[in-house]
Amino acid sequence: GDTATTKITGCTAIVGNGNGGAVYVQQSTFNFKNGTLSGNEAWRYGGAININETAILTLEGNCKIQGNKAGAGGGISQEAGGCEIEIDNDGVLIEGNEAIYQQANKDKLESVKTACGQGGGILIEKGTFKMSKGIIRDNYASHNGGGVSCYVSRIVADVTAEITGGEISRNSAGISGGGIDLYASNSKVANGVDVKLTGGILHSNSAKNGGGIYVGAGSGNTILNHTEFRLNTALERGGAVNLHAS
């Protein structure tokens, strides 16, 4: 029922593919409601949750993803086509997660080295992300996308993100996109990253470039409308938005 709660803490994914510190979802639907995933770790994708191969993740109720760590996607990661992540409740909190390139695991991370340090809160590498409510805050990425990274590394791949509400705040990235980072690493990528922001607020995020949002190469169509940017900062370019290449 609505009052039931689930708590998973202190788990680590280190064997096998090292994905999904607490939860790994493949070709399935996972509705996570009224629970907490905290203090979990994966040396590759998804400190708390990793979804793969047409999986669907919905975050509902009073749902908290806090203090998790991974090489890519500190809180949540999505790494294969046909996957969907949706946040549609004010009670959802994605907070204090970290995506950090772990030098000690250099050999293990070789297969995902281009995505390492991407997406402190959430990494979307191939699929769809929708956010209409909830909060993504105080997350950190050593490279790009402190709050959310929409990142394409494969030649035939695409990412679609639609943000109509909610809050992305106080996130930070070592290189680009303190709040949100949009980027395709391969110049031959077929589709790229399409993002539409038609609501919500991005505030107090920080990065070297693009404190609020960084729009990089292969980013496809980026639409910004009725979205509030406030107190975002960049050390070099674009406190609110950095449009680098498309």
Side-chain angles (χ1 to χ4, degrees):
D2 290 344
T3 59
T5 61
T6 300
K7 187 174 183 179
I8 302 176
T9 63
C11 299
T12 305
I14 51 177
V15 297
N17 59 15
N19 296 331
V23 179
Y24 181 83
V25 185
Q26 184 174 8
Q27 297 180 337
S28 302
T29 297
F30 178 40
N31 297 318
F32 186 48
K33 184 175 183 179
N34 295 336
T36 300
L37 300 177
S38 64
N40 304 290
E41 185 172 355
W43 55 259
R44 289 181 82 240
Y45 285 104
I49 303 173
N50 176 257
I51 69 172
N52 199 354
E53 294 185 16
T54 69
I56 297 173
L57 170 64
T58 303
L59 303 179
E60 303 175 342
N62 294 315
C63 175
K64 295 179 175 60
I65 311 292
Q66 296 175 307
N68 303 282
K69 297 180 182 180
I76 301 170
S77 70
Q78 175 266 89
E79 58 163 321
C83 293
E84 299 179 14
I85 297 174
E86 183 172 2
I87 302 174
D88 187 22
N89 195 286
D90 288 327
V92 175
L93 176 62
I94 299 174
E95 178 183 49
N97 304 286
E98 297 181 348
I100 300 176
Y101 182 87
Q102 303 166 55
Q103 186 67 28
N105 288 319
K106 182 178 179 181
D107 293 337
K108 295 179 182 178
L109 288 164
E110 187 68 22
S111 62
V112 291
K113 64 181 180 180
T114 54
C116 285
Q118 310 275 356
I122 300 176
L123 169 68
I124 312 296
E125 196 175 11
K126 187 178 180 184
T128 301
F129 172 63
K130 295 181 180 180
M131 179 179 179
S132 59
K133 299 177 181 179
I135 299 173
I136 300 174
R137 72 183 179 202
D138 295 325
N139 301 286
Y140 171 73
S142 62
H143 289 54
N144 309 319
V148 179
S149 175
C150 297
Y151 179 80
V152 175
S153 60
R154 300 170 176 85
I155 294 177
V156 181
D158 64 278
V159 169
T160 301
E162 184 174 354
I163 299 173
T164 59
E167 174 185 316
I168 299 175
S169 62
R170 303 194 315 237
N171 303 284
S172 61
I175 299 177
S176 64
I180 302 172
D181 186 80
L182 318 174
Y183 185 71
S185 67
N186 195 314
S187 62
K188 298 179 181 179
V189 67
N191 299 310
V193 180
D194 289 332
V195 175
K196 180 187 294 185
L197 283 82
T198 58
I201 178 171
L202 283 87
H203 76 81
S204 305
N205 301 288
S206 62
K208 183 177 180 180
N209 294 299
I213 298 178
Y214 178 86
V215 182
S219 55
N221 299 314
T222 303
I223 299 173
L224 306 178
N225 192 15
H226 300 296
T227 300
E228 181 179 349
F229 292 82
R230 178 160 46 93
L231 300 176
N232 300 286
T233 58
L235 292 175
E236 294 187 0
R237 302 179 182 90
V241 181
N242 183 357
L243 301 174
H244 182 260
S246 60

